[in-house]
């Protein structure tokens, strides 16, 4: 008996039964897509109207509550969404510089108020760029007032650039100086039976020392002391000039702070005022309201505009589709080869952006903003080759160094047409190293025996369970030596200098931007604005706008950023008030977990809970 007719009938019935379900699923997907578009559009529209209505006269308030970073979290067309982010989020240095420079020529801005109480991580190079922008403001006749309830060294260095510094009556100013301290693991590794084989070229390539020594080597101590001594002297000189003080006064405050504090009965705020590091002591509310009254009129307080609102209200229109631009590409974090990962500079993405710049006819020049200590040498070389392809397309490439552009970062920078650095930039470190951990001693301590067969000395040469053999060690060192020679050749080619001139200033040694400029490793001392201006000059387009060159974000990416990197705390409160989110359930926890979950098999032993 044939069942084919019944099978055909069943297939037809099954198709008819599933059709509505599939139709519902299809329509659901369309609805979700439309919801995403409507949500994003609504956010954009909701953010658009307020930033167009600035008062005729106002005080610009700039609260640097967060870390200073080089790369914006969202592409250019979606930057208005950033106003949804928490005040604790990162602050893009370029945004702060733009706001200060626009205020300089904006007649509506009566004064600028800086709140530095919550300034997060920032390099001295970034701080100096902000100080330069503040100096331009003051030269243009715009008053700048700084406040802090606690002013650590970097925050105070920025505050001192203002014409008036106010400290909370319970606050303090810290000037501890500059130190470089790290752990050394040789004894600990010996104790557990782990031996780290270090291979390097360059007597100052000190990255390996913590694994091979118990203390800082004499050579490294000498160069590091020289490095931080120069940085500290610059800080003292600048602060002395800012506050009209003798450097000796600041040294005494720094090195004999216990005596200074005792002289004022332990009152740190009064000590800072008595030593003339600050002008007045006031709580934030009194300081804030006092400034608005000072710049008000007819007995009324002046209006104020927050940094974010001002930035978006005064943002120039996006360039036309075919208008010439200068591309700005940030490279921030440790260099890795492969696809993007949070907090790291991934070669795949950077190379794609550079190749895009080479092919895009609207991009006439590229500025690379480097803030990286290096990392993968292969990643650095891939990015360097992409830089050369941009130059081969007839487009100038300018490097602007931020806090750090060393080792692999300098490998990339050497290919540029011109290199800008800050006085405080850490650069150079032209050297190569490799580390290989051997755990055979640890296994011996655990009474674990390792045995097997091989076809030759290199078959298991990099197996950490067996002792490293001489042939393998020689091969690694030979490869490291070749890598160093390659590094020298790359720098010599890019800087158009003979290798014999590069070799003495290489050896893995770190230089400040100021010294690197004297040695020929850097062309000009200056910040990001100076680099952009030079790029425009080379492209012969003095009015060309700068455009961020960032990976595109999908609507899903935008939503994920808003959910996991925006005002999730306020969003949670709102949902809980509506009864849509149970008390105690957090939306911020998944953000942390997503970054940590990277098991290759996707298996986890984790509790979504917290100890009482």
């Amino acid at each position: 008996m044939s069942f084919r007719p019944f099978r055909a009938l069943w297939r037809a019935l099954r198709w008819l039964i599933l059709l509505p379900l599939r139709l519902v699923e299809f329509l659901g997907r369309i609805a979700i897509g439309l919801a995403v578009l409507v949500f994003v559009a609504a956010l954009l529209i909701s953010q658009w109207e307020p930033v167009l209505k600035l008062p005729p006269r106002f005080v610009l308030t700039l609260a640097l509550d967060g870390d200073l970073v080089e790369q914006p979290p969202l592409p250019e067309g979606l930057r208005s969404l950033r106003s949804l982010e928490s005040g604790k989020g990162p602050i893009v240095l370029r945004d702060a510089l733009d706001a200060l420079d626009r205020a300089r020529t904006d007649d509506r801005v009566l004064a600028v108020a800086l709140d530095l109480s919550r300034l997060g991580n920032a390099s001295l190079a970034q701080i100096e760029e902000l100080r330069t922008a503040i100096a331009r403001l003051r030269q243009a006749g715009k008053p700048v007032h700084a406040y802090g309830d606690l002013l650590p060294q970097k925050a105070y260095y920025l505050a001192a650039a203002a014409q008036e510094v106010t400290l909370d009556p319970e606050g303090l100013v810290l000037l501890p100086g500059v130190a470089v301290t790290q752990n050394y693991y040789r004894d600990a590794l010996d104790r557990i039976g782990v031996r780290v084989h270090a291979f390097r070229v360059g007597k100052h390539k000190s990255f390996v020392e913590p694994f091979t020594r118990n203390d800082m080597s004499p050579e490294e101590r000498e160069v590091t002391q020289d490095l931080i001594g120069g940085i500290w002297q610059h800080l003292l000189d600048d602060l002395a000039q800012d506050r009209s003080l003798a450097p000796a006064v600041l040294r005494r405050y720094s090195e004999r702070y216990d005596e200074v504090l005792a002289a004022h009965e332990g009152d740190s705020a009064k000590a800072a005022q008595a030593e003339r590091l600050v002008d007045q002591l006031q709580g934030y509310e009194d300081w804030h309201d006092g400034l608005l009254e000072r710049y008000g009129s007819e007995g009324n307080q002046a209006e104020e505009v927050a940094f974010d609102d001002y930035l978006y209200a005064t943002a120039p229109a996006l360039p036309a589709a075919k208008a010439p631009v200068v591309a700005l590409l940030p490279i921030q974090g440790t260099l890795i080869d492969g696809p993007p990962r949070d907090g790291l500079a991934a070669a795949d993405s950077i190379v794609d952006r550079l190749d895009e710049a080479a092919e895009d006819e609207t991009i006439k020049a590229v500025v690379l903003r480097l803030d990286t200590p290096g990392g993968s040498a292969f990643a650095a070389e891939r990015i360097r080759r992409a830089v050369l392809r941009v130059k081969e397309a007839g487009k100038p490439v300018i490097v602007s160094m931020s806090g750090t552009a060393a080792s692999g970062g300098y490998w990339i920078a050497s290919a540029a047409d011109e290199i800008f650095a800050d006085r405080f930039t850490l650069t150079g470190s032209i050297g190569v190293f490799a580390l290989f951990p051997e755990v055979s001693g640890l296994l011996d301590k655990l009474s674990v025996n390792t045995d097997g067969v091989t076809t030759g000395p290199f078959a298991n040469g990099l197996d950490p369970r067996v002792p490293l053999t001489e042939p393998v060690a020689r091969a690694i060192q030979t490869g490291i030596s070749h890598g160093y020679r390659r590094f020298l050749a790359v720098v010599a080619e890019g800087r158009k200098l003979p290798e014999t001139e590069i070799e003495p200033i290489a050896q893995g040694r770190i230089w400040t931007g100021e010294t690197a400029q004297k040695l020929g490793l850097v062309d000009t001392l200056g910040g990001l604005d100076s680099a952009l201006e030079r790029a425009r000059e080379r492209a012969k387009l003095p009015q060309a706008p700068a455009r961020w060159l960032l990976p595109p974000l999908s609507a899903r990416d935008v939503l994920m950023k808003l959910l996991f990197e925006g005002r999730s705390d306020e969003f949670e409160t709102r949902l809980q008030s509506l009864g849509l989110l149970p008390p105690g359930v957090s939306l911020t926890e998944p953000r942390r977990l997503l970054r940590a979950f990277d098991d290759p098999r996707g298996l986890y032993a984790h509790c979504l809970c917290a100890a009482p």
Side-chain angles (χ1 to χ4, degrees):
M1 181 178 178
S2 173
F3 290 94
R4 289 181 180 177
F6 296 100
R7 289 177 179 172
L9 179 61
W10 169 244
R11 287 172 182 168
L13 289 172
R14 184 172 177 271
W15 186 83
L16 289 173
I17 292 170
L18 293 178
L19 178 61
L21 297 176
R22 288 176 175 170
L23 182 60
V24 169
E25 179 183 5
F26 175 70
L27 293 175
R29 290 180 178 178
I30 293 178
I32 291 173
L34 289 173
V36 169
L37 293 176
V38 170
F39 178 64
V40 173
L43 288 173
L44 288 170
I45 293 171
S46 68
Q47 299 303 308
W48 184 259
E49 184 177 358
V51 300
L52 292 179
K53 297 179 179 178
L54 290 180
R57 304 276 280 174
F58 58 88
V59 173
L60 175 62
T61 59
L62 175 54
L64 296 180
D65 293 349
D67 299 339
L68 288 178
V69 298
E70 300 293 343
Q71 179 170 319
L74 294 170
E76 200 76 39
L78 298 174
R79 299 298 297 285
S80 61
L81 292 181
R82 201 179 151 214
S83 61
L84 294 176
E85 292 182 0
S86 167
K88 297 179 182 179
I91 298 163
V92 181
L93 175 65
R94 180 69 191 167
D95 286 350
L97 294 174
D98 280 348
L100 293 174
D101 280 335
R102 291 172 196 169
R104 177 169 54 91
T105 56
D106 190 338
D107 293 336
R108 297 171 297 181
V109 177
L110 299 167
V112 174
L114 296 174
D115 181 7
L116 304 176
S117 300
R118 304 292 180 271
L119 179 64
N121 292 327
S123 69
L124 283 174
Q126 292 173 321
I127 296 294
E128 185 161 59
E129 290 210 48
L130 289 172
R131 282 172 53 87
T132 301
I134 290 173
R136 289 194 293 264
L137 263 173
R138 295 183 60 183
Q139 289 170 1
K142 294 292 175 72
V144 181
H145 304 268
Y147 173 85
D149 53 21
L150 174 68
L151 290 174
Q153 190 161 279
K154 289 180 181 178
Y156 180 69
Y157 184 49
L158 179 54
Q163 69 188 55
E164 183 181 71
V165 181
T166 302
L167 181 68
D168 189 275
E170 301 299 324
L172 75 162
V173 174
L174 294 174
L175 286 180
V178 184
V180 174
T181 307
Q182 59 189 8
N183 295 327
Y184 291 82
Y185 305 103
R186 175 63 185 271
D187 279 352
L189 293 171
D190 287 347
R191 184 170 300 169
I192 63 174
V194 174
R195 181 183 179 187
V196 176
H197 298 269
F199 304 88
R200 68 176 181 178
V201 179
K203 64 181 181 180
H204 297 295
K205 199 65 179 175
S206 60
F207 188 93
V208 304
E209 285 192 359
F211 306 99
T212 60
R213 296 180 57 92
N214 292 317
D215 58 0
M216 185 179 286
S217 67
E219 298 84 4
E220 187 61 21
R221 186 178 301 277
E222 179 183 354
V223 299
T224 304
Q225 188 65 57
D226 181 64
L227 183 75
I228 66 173
I231 291 173
W232 182 227
Q233 189 60 54
H234 278 316
L235 287 174
L236 290 175
D237 291 343
D238 291 346
L239 290 174
Q241 182 175 355
D242 291 337
R243 302 297 302 171
S244 300
L245 295 171
V249 173
L250 293 166
R251 280 194 179 275
R252 176 178 175 273
Y253 185 91
S254 172
E255 297 172 8
R256 300 166 64 182
Y257 184 64
D258 56 331
E259 297 177 11
V260 172
L261 203 57
H264 297 279
E265 300 179 340
D267 191 325
S268 55
K270 286 184 178 179
Q273 186 182 32
E275 297 294 323
R276 296 168 52 200
L277 272 67
V278 301
D279 297 292
Q280 59 184 351
L281 304 179
Q282 276 186 317
Y284 175 79
E285 291 75 14
D286 291 337
W287 171 77
H288 172 268
D289 293 345
L291 279 183
L292 297 185
E293 290 174 4
R294 185 187 309 185
Y295 292 101
S297 59
E298 299 178 356
N300 297 319
Q301 286 189 341
E303 296 193 65
E304 64 176 315
V305 173
F307 152 66
D308 277 350
D309 290 338
Y310 181 71
L311 187 68
Y312 301 130
T314 57
L318 293 176
K322 295 185 179 180
V325 298
V326 172
L328 176 57
L329 173 59
I331 300 178
Q332 188 169 23
T334 301
L335 299 174
I336 62 168
D337 188 51
R341 282 156 53 190
D342 283 351
L344 302 171
D348 283 5
S349 177
I350 296 167
V351 168
D352 286 347
R353 302 284 76 74
L354 286 169
D355 286 342
E356 174 188 334
E359 298 170 4
D360 190 335
E361 294 182 358
T362 65
I363 295 177
K364 302 303 181 182
V366 174
V367 172
L368 293 180
R369 178 66 170 179
L370 296 183
D371 191 11
T372 172
S376 165
F378 187 67
E381 175 60 12
R382 285 187 61 201
I383 297 170
R384 188 188 75 92
R385 293 173 189 169
V387 170
L388 294 178
R389 289 194 290 273
V390 175
K391 293 173 64 176
E392 288 168 0
K395 303 176 182 185
V397 178
I398 308 297
V399 158
S400 171
M401 293 179 170
S402 185
T404 305
S407 203
Y410 192 80
W411 188 304
I412 296 169
S414 65
D417 292 296
E418 196 167 348
I419 300 175
F420 283 72
D422 186 82
R423 289 184 305 163
F424 295 115
T425 297
L426 299 182
T427 188
S429 191
I430 301 170
V432 183
F433 73 90
L435 295 172
F436 177 74
E438 178 191 315
V439 298
S440 58
L442 173 61
L443 296 178
D444 288 342
K445 290 178 180 291
L446 299 174
S447 299
V448 176
N449 298 313
T450 302
D451 196 9
V453 295
T454 70
T455 58
F458 291 92
N460 64 346
L462 295 180
D463 187 336
R465 297 172 298 171
V466 300
L468 189 69
T469 64
E470 283 299 321
V472 175
R474 286 196 298 269
I476 295 175
Q477 186 61 55
T478 300
I480 295 298
S481 298
H482 169 75
Y484 181 64
R485 292 194 302 272
R486 175 65 180 145
F487 202 161
L488 292 178
V490 162
V491 174
E493 176 188 350
R495 302 300 298 164
K496 297 178 175 59
L497 294 170
E499 289 187 31
T500 53
E501 290 188 23
I502 300 296
E503 172 69 24
I505 58 177
Q507 297 292 329
R509 182 162 179 173
I510 299 172
W511 307 99
T512 62
E514 183 178 41
T515 305
Q517 195 261 344
K518 296 175 182 176
L519 296 173
L521 296 176
V522 165
D523 295 295
T524 308
L525 294 181
L528 180 56
D529 287 329
S530 299
L532 286 168
E533 285 304 311
R534 186 60 53 87
R536 294 183 180 103
E537 290 175 12
R538 284 181 171 266
K540 299 180 180 179
L541 293 167
Q543 303 302 319
R547 190 185 84 193
W548 289 103
L549 193 59
L550 302 173
L553 287 180
S554 65
R556 176 185 176 278
D557 293 331
V558 173
L559 284 177
M560 292 294 285
K561 280 184 174 290
L562 291 174
L563 285 175
F564 295 129
E565 298 181 10
R567 290 183 175 272
S568 52
D569 52 348
E570 296 182 9
F571 190 44
E572 288 171 10
T573 303
R574 184 67 172 168
L575 290 178
Q576 288 171 355
S577 68
L578 296 173
L580 300 177
L581 186 69
V585 176
S586 172
L587 295 176
T588 56
E589 181 69 6
R591 176 189 176 191
R592 184 179 65 82
L593 297 179
L594 287 173
R595 291 181 174 179
F597 284 4
D598 58 354
D599 186 282
R601 295 181 299 164
L603 302 177
Y604 305 96
H606 187 91
C607 174
L608 192 63
C609 56

